[in-house]
Amino acid sequence: MSSLCLRIYNFIPKLPFKLLFSSTYSAFKNAHYNQTPPIIYELSSLLQQLSETLIWVKSIHAHIITNAVYTDRFLATKLVKAYSHLGHLSYARHVLDHFPHPKTVLCNAMVNGYVQHERYKETLDLFRLMDSLELDVDSYTCNFALKACSGLGDYEAGREIIRIAFDKRISDDRFLGSSMISFLVKFDDIDEARRVFDGLLEKDVVCWNSMIGGYAKACQYDKAFGLFQSMCKCRIRPSPVTMVSLIQACVGMKNIEFGKCVHGCVLGLGMSDDVLVLTSLVDMYSKMSDIESARYVFEGMSMKNLVSWNAMISGCVQNGSVHESFKLFRRLVLSRGVVDSGTIVSLLQGCAQIADLDSGKILHCCIFRRGLELNLILCTAIVDLYSKCGALKQAKFVFDGMKNKNVITWTAMLVGLAQNGYAEDALKLFSQMQEEGVSANLVTLVSLVHSCAHLGSLKKGRSVHGQLIRKRFAFDAVNMTALIDMYAKCGKISSAERVFNKGIISKDVILWNSMITGYGIHGLGDRAVNLYRIMIEDGVRPNGTTYVSLLTACSHSGLVAEGIELFYSMETHHKIRPTEKHYACLVDLLGRAGRLEEAEAVINQMPFTPGSSVFEALLSGCRTHKSIDMGIKTADRLLCLDSMNPVIHVMLSNIYAEARKWDAVNHIRSLMRRKGLRKTPGYSLIEVKNQVHSFFAGDDSHPNWVEIHQVLEKLRSEVEATGYVPETSCVLRDVDEPMKIKLLWKHSERLAIAFGLLSTPAGSLIRITKNLRVCVDCHTVTKHISKIVKREIIVRDANRFHHFIDGNCSCNDYW
């Protein structure tokens, strides 16, 4: 053994003697043969065998220096590779920087080290240094540099490297060619990628795969299949990656016949056991709603990995087979298979889809039991589940506990609040989202539009509309429908019309339906019917929702004859069979007009058993026209259908109260308490200075309560001076007349109007949103107030809009 090996042996006592001896012997033999100093071979061999531990590499490095062989580029390259492999890039760079006149191979080793450890900026810096020092840049250097550009997302730098590769005439190297194609495809420069591909003298399967995959990614599916045919003509055997790209192209085309052809090619090429390809087929069939074929491929797989199980579970959820997805999950668990966050996310989405809160909670516990990391995607799925199941406390708890949130997380929480009636909280959350610098996406903004519609918040609604325009989101039929609905519910029917007129070219029926609905809630039944006729003339085919909107519009406007004609024409002219909703609208139309016997006859002649919505419409008519006997009979039938509905109990109680049957009223209220049912409290909203204020009946919690009370007292005096007589029958409580009058003046809409008069400039418009139907006395009082204060007051109640101007209302006292 040489003295050098003995010194290293003493320094590292655990080094196997035989290993050193054999390597040294081999080194001497090679040195004798190649006329190379034996010390270089000794150290090279040791580096190769002892490169797994830093102390060994540093020891060998020290001996390289002491033996004055540090100028050997072969040893220097091995040292750079060893240090890079261990992650000590500063040591590797030290070797490079102290090497006199480095060559390309040594620089490539350093460039590769930077890329392997994702130090992309240093990679490009070194590449540029090589180019500036006129060191030879070869295909390997360009290949590594392109990977760095891809990692940094720097398209321009990548194009510069491709230009250098062409200038140095190394671009036809098939490995570099494949990297250039992949880089250009990533940045959607598919035409340039094809030029590079066509310029390659020699193309292997990787080059073909990069180009075919690029066409699939760019949605140029015909070209992907055309190139596949050319590949086969060139006698290049497709690889599993080729087939996966073609399968993805079939999904993009939504062409299941092409998908089945590719499936046939997979079998013909002998890939029937390839897990990657078969998993892609499962995913393809699932996304094209052929769950039976997906199941057939999945069950036929001899080997299944976690990705395969996840694809099948996700496919079941996508196709509405949530219970089957849980059966697959149980099979996976019982087979002692691994479960990851992807598995749980799919199942959570399934639970959200069918509002299965209990199973969702079990999955939430499963995450902790299995020690899965609560990553961003998983937490977002949990928030979405709880939100869609109405468990907003749990959703907020998970949401608040998340350290990192992206726009999807914020949107899931925001949509949950909006859909569960917490529109004001949704808007507050959006403000918080903006403060944290998170940019809203299309789903976020559309859900906010719905929140603004619910609150009647016109200013915020306009602001959100402005953001949709500034962010240049596409205004498709769904988004425009949301805007039409928002403007209509905020009382700006003219703005709703402007949005509708911009989107009328789309000919989408939902757009027409939303405008007809908007006219309906504003009592503009004539306009709704006229728009329907224009719609028919334009060749837009109505659907069931169209007729629900039309019948509602006729009902709110007293267009009884027109409504009846439309109802009976829907089946004869458009082959649309009336559903329970349509019958409920017809009964409501007749009931509002006082034609209660006709309404009852319609119910008795229905071709199917009437549901609760039909009887509720009749009951509402009975209450409006004080038909106590029919109302009691109808309520009894309703309670048989839905005994736990608080609305029915309240309506029946109100009918008894208006008839002054207080014992019956107390009985109904006692029954509600025993059943645990609660009446929905009435409230009114008003937006002032971009803030929504809410008022409940008798509410004295507002900071401006004293001033509000003073305004109300003044209004009361002025209204009574006009000859107004209170309609105390609206107070459904067994109290004396003075108390009834006092209670009337504490109704929520009057509090909101008083606050509006206090907080807005004289002569400006006041907008109120109320969650229940406006009572007769408040309707009369608001007409008087509009004339006294010379202001337009718009009130949106549960049924429609009331525009009060100079003592008159747009509903003509018909609502």
Side-chain angles (χ1 to χ4, degrees), residues 337-353:
V338 179
V339 172
D340 70 355
S341 59
T343 323
I344 304 297
V345 166
S346 293
L347 293 166
L348 286 168
Q349 288 170 346
C351 292
Q353 193 182 107

Side-chain angles (χ1 to χ4, degrees), residues 710-720 745 750 753-754 757 785 788-789:
Q710 288 170 353
V711 170
L712 281 174
E713 284 300 313
K714 184 183 176 191
L715 285 172
R716 180 178 170 179
S717 301
E718 290 176 334
V719 169
E720 286 175 350
W745 280 93
R750 300 191 201 192
I753 290 168
L757 291 169
I785 292 172
I788 291 165
V789 299

Side-chain angles (χ1 to χ4, degrees), residues 93 95 107 164 200 267 271 508 570 582 686 698 703 728:
R93 185 59 188 259
V95 173
C107 292
I164 290 169
L200 292 174
L267 299 177
M271 298 181 190
D508 197 306
M570 61 188 287
H582 298 108
I686 181 170
T728 55

Side-chain angles (χ1 to χ4, degrees), residues 268-283:
L269 289 164
M271 298 181 190
S272 56
D273 287 327
D274 190 285
V275 178
L276 175 66
V277 176
L278 295 180
T279 301
S280 296
L281 284 169
V282 169
D283 181 64

Side-chain angles (χ1 to χ4, degrees), residues 441-455:
N441 63 15
L442 181 60
V443 179
T444 320
L445 294 175
V446 171
S447 67
L448 281 172
V449 170
H450 290 301
S451 296
C452 295
H454 179 79
L455 291 171

Side-chain angles (χ1 to χ4, degrees), residues 477-700:
V478 175
N479 304 336
M480 296 185 90
T481 298
L483 287 168
I484 291 167
D485 178 65
M486 183 270 292
Y487 281 120
K489 286 181 177 174
C490 290
K492 288 292 287 184
I493 198 70
S494 57
S495 297
E497 286 174 328
R498 278 195 292 274
V499 174
F500 173 74
N501 290 331
K502 286 180 182 176
I504 201 169
I505 302 167
S506 77
K507 303 288 185 184
D508 197 306
V509 68
I510 66 167
L511 209 61
W512 295 82
N513 290 350
S514 63
M515 196 65 240
I516 290 169
T517 302
Y519 283 139
I521 61 175
H522 281 268
L524 303 170
D526 289 329
R527 288 201 211 175
V529 174
N530 287 336
L531 186 63
Y532 164 74
R533 289 175 182 145
I534 295 168
M535 171 183 165
I536 299 300
E537 288 171 8
D538 280 7
V540 180
R541 184 178 173 80
N543 59 17
T545 307
T546 313
Y547 282 98
V548 169
S549 301
L550 276 169
L551 291 168
T552 304
C554 291
S555 179
H556 288 161
S557 304
L559 302 177
V560 182
E562 291 88 338
I564 293 170
E565 183 186 344
L566 285 165
F567 178 85
Y568 289 108
S569 71
M570 61 188 287
E571 189 165 14
T572 54
H573 293 169
H574 298 288
K575 310 298 180 189
I576 299 171
R577 186 170 294 177
T579 64
E580 185 178 321
K581 277 188 177 180
H582 298 108
Y583 276 101
C585 289
L586 180 60
V587 169
D588 183 64
L589 175 79
L590 295 166
R592 282 177 192 272
R595 294 160 66 167
L596 298 174
E597 288 77 13
E598 288 179 61
E600 191 174 35
V602 167
I603 294 173
N604 293 333
Q605 292 166 15
M606 283 174 64
F608 49 84
T609 305
S612 57
S613 62
V614 178
F615 288 116
E616 281 182 33
L618 181 59
L619 185 60
S620 178
C622 293
R623 189 201 162 186
T624 302
H625 296 283
K626 297 181 171 55
S627 178
I628 296 166
D629 293 337
M630 187 183 286
I632 293 168
K633 184 173 70 173
T634 305
D636 287 339
R637 294 176 74 177
L638 263 171
L639 289 171
C640 291
L641 290 171
D642 190 0
S643 63
M644 296 301 290
N645 188 338
V647 174
I648 301 165
H649 290 77
V650 170
M651 288 177 76
L652 181 57
S653 172
N654 291 346
I655 289 170
Y656 281 130
E658 286 176 353
R660 299 296 182 263
K661 296 187 175 183
W662 300 113
D663 290 340
V665 170
N666 292 332
H667 171 72
I668 297 296
R669 290 175 180 171
S670 174
L671 190 64
M672 286 181 71
R673 284 193 293 272
R674 287 201 301 272
K675 290 182 178 181
L677 303 177
R678 287 187 175 185
K679 176 186 175 182
T680 303
Y683 62 82
S684 295
L685 307 173
I686 181 170
E687 184 181 24
V688 175
K689 294 178 182 175
N690 216 28
Q691 184 179 350
V692 177
H693 298 259
S694 56
F695 294 90
F696 290 85
D699 189 3
D700 59 359

Side-chain angles (χ1 to χ4, degrees), residues 375-399:
N375 58 37
L376 183 63
I377 297 171
L378 196 52
C379 286
T380 300
I382 296 168
V383 170
D384 184 59
L385 162 79
Y386 285 132
S387 296
K388 285 179 178 171
C389 291
L392 292 178
K393 276 189 179 179
Q394 290 93 323
K396 196 73 168 66
F397 178 79
V398 176
F399 178 83

Side-chain angles (χ1 to χ4, degrees), residues 62 79 290 327 469 472 475 487 526 612 642 720 736 769:
L79 266 177
D290 189 353
K327 287 178 184 176
I469 294 168
R472 297 182 179 179
F475 280 88
Y487 281 120
D526 289 329
S612 57
D642 190 0
E720 286 175 350
D736 58 26
T769 300

